[in-house]
């Protein structure tokens, strides 16, 4: 019976050692889980901050694009109006040259 008690004691010691090893593995796994959760929370916070920054940049970009489009429209209208002014100036110059030419021609005829 003493021998059986010793075998049983050996099994018990081995069982206790296995349980202790499992407990240590669990503690290590709990530490890893906690670190992973902290990293996850940190990344989620960074994502939220970056998302907010992205939203601000997108809004700013949209405003700038709208302003540029408005400036493009104003510029196109201004260039078109300027071209009309140039055309009118050319026409006025041609009319003025004809009038001056007619006046000279009339003055030449009167002096002859």
């Amino acid at each position: 019976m003493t021998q059986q008690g010793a075998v049983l004691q050996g099994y018990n010691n081995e069982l206790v050692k296995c349980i202790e090893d499992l407990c240590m593995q669990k503690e290590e796994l709990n530490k890893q889980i906690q670190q992973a959760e902290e990293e996850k929370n940190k990344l989620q916070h960074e994502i939220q901050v970056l998302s907010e920054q992205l939203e601000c940049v997108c809004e700013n970009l949209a405003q700038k694009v709208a302003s540029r489009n408005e400036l493009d429209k104003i510029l196109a209208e201004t260039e078109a109006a300027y071209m009309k002014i140039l055309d009118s100036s050319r026409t006025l110059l041609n009319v003025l040259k004809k009038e001056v030419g007619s006046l000279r021609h009339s003055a030449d005829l009167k002096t002859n």
Side-chain angles (χ1 to χ4, degrees):
M1 189 69 105
T2 307
Q3 187 177 12
Q4 291 173 340
V7 170
L8 185 59
Q9 184 63 38
Y11 291 154
N12 188 46
N13 289 342
E14 196 172 331
L15 183 60
V16 168
K17 185 178 182 303
C18 286
I19 291 172
E20 287 174 353
D21 286 345
L22 289 174
C23 286
M24 287 177 29
Q25 288 177 8
K26 179 183 171 189
E27 287 178 30
E28 180 61 30
L29 193 55
N30 279 338
K31 286 179 187 177
Q32 291 174 1
I33 289 170
Q34 184 178 359
Q35 288 173 348
E37 286 176 346
E38 289 172 0
E39 181 70 14
K40 179 186 116 187
N41 290 337
K42 177 185 167 193
L43 291 173
Q44 284 178 329
H45 177 72
E46 289 176 9
I47 288 170
Q48 181 181 357
V49 169
L50 290 173
S51 294
E52 290 170 1
Q53 289 176 350
L54 178 61
E55 185 178 338
C56 288
V57 168
C58 287
E59 289 174 6
N60 189 294
L61 178 61
Q63 290 173 351
K64 287 181 180 183
V65 167
S67 294
R68 183 192 62 194
N69 292 343
E70 185 64 25
L71 286 174
D72 284 344
K73 178 182 172 189
I74 291 170
L75 185 59
E77 290 171 354
T78 302
E79 287 175 345
Y82 183 68
M83 293 307 291
K84 286 181 182 179
I85 290 171
L86 288 179
D87 190 45
S88 295
S89 295
R90 185 179 66 244
T91 302
L92 178 61
L93 181 60
N94 289 337
V95 168
L96 185 59
K97 284 180 180 180
K98 284 181 185 177
E99 290 294 325
V100 168
S102 294
L103 287 174
R104 283 186 188 160
H105 183 64
S106 294
D108 288 343
L109 289 176
K110 286 183 182 180
T111 56
N112 283 338

